[in-house]
Amino acid sequence: QLRLQESGPGLVRPSETLSLTCTLSGASLSSGSSYWAWIRQPPGQGLEWIGSIYYSGNTYYNPSLESRVTISGDMSKSHFSLRLSSVTAADTAVYFCARGGFGYLFLFDIWGQGAIVTVSS
Amino acid sequence: QSALTQPASVSGSPGQSISISCTGTSGDIGGFNYVSWYQQHPGKAPKLIIYDVSTRPSGVSDRFSGSKSGNTASLTVSGLQAEDETDYYCSSYTYSGTVIFGGGTRLTVL
């Protein structure tokens, strides 16, 4: 059964780069022609799609974050990553990785438990 | 892109039915049958409960149903149970090839 697990620093200083990794257990990124996504949720707020990477390596980003985001992955392996540059307090959130369900970009059927990231000096 | 519009809260008594609306534009909800709904309990990851407007994933209770009319989608929860009390989010594919979520609705079972 596929499981996802986020990992990375829980504290990032303002203006620096946030880096997180999502590790898959039970599959590789190239399994099932899937999309793999990052989604975040600021404290007490709603969900925000950050972007996705397709098993082919193509990436898709939220226009509001695109200038600061890079999602990458080695499609033969079992992890993909998020980099968000020039962070501010507004980037404090729980960051989730998720699989695009049924081969779709736009719905998410398997989620990691989430990683809390705080931006603070 | 602005978030889809959901009511902040809805409530109902056990056994009753409630609906949560999700309003977008012709560039997202109105243009595609790609609306999804998620249930999120506190401190947990969201769970997919409806996709493609009205399809339930395997294992999701048939008390959850979805529909769409124009630029507004709706999630209906019938036979309300205490365990349904939590947050619900809608999402949609957009004409620009991205994904947008609603602001979330807190369901209270009275």
Side-chain angles (χ1 to χ4, degrees), chain A residues 7-54:
Chain A
S7 60
L11 179 64
V12 182
R13 301 197 184 281
S15 79
E16 296 189 344
T17 296
L18 178 160
S19 297
L20 293 173
T21 296
C22 181
T23 301
L24 284 61
S25 58
S28 69
L29 291 180
S30 59
S31 302
S33 304
S34 294
Y35 289 87
W36 304 93
W38 286 99
I39 296 156
R40 70 180 183 179
Q41 185 171 34
Q45 297 185 39
L47 301 166
E48 180 179 35
W49 176 73
I50 299 170
S52 298
I53 185 167
Y54 193 40

Side-chain angles (χ1 to χ4, degrees), chain A residues 3 9 11 15 22 44 58 67 70-71 86:
Chain A
R3 292 191 173 185
L11 179 64
S15 79
C22 181
N58 290 349
S67 63
T70 302
I71 295 175
S86 304

Side-chain angles (χ1 to χ4, degrees), chain B residues 30-81:
Chain B
F32 308 93
N33 289 323
Y34 295 147
V35 177
S36 302
W37 289 91
Y38 300 85
Q39 177 191 63
Q40 185 182 31
H41 287 284
K44 301 295 186 181
K47 173 187 176 183
L48 179 68
I49 58 173
I50 295 286
Y51 68 96
D52 290 356
V53 176
S54 60
T55 303
R56 280 187 309 275
S58 175
V60 173
S61 171
D62 60 4
R63 296 187 300 103
F64 294 95
S65 62
S67 63
K68 190 188 86 167
S69 178
N71 297 337
T72 298
S74 297
L75 172 72
T76 298
V77 186
S78 58
L80 272 178
Q81 300 179 1

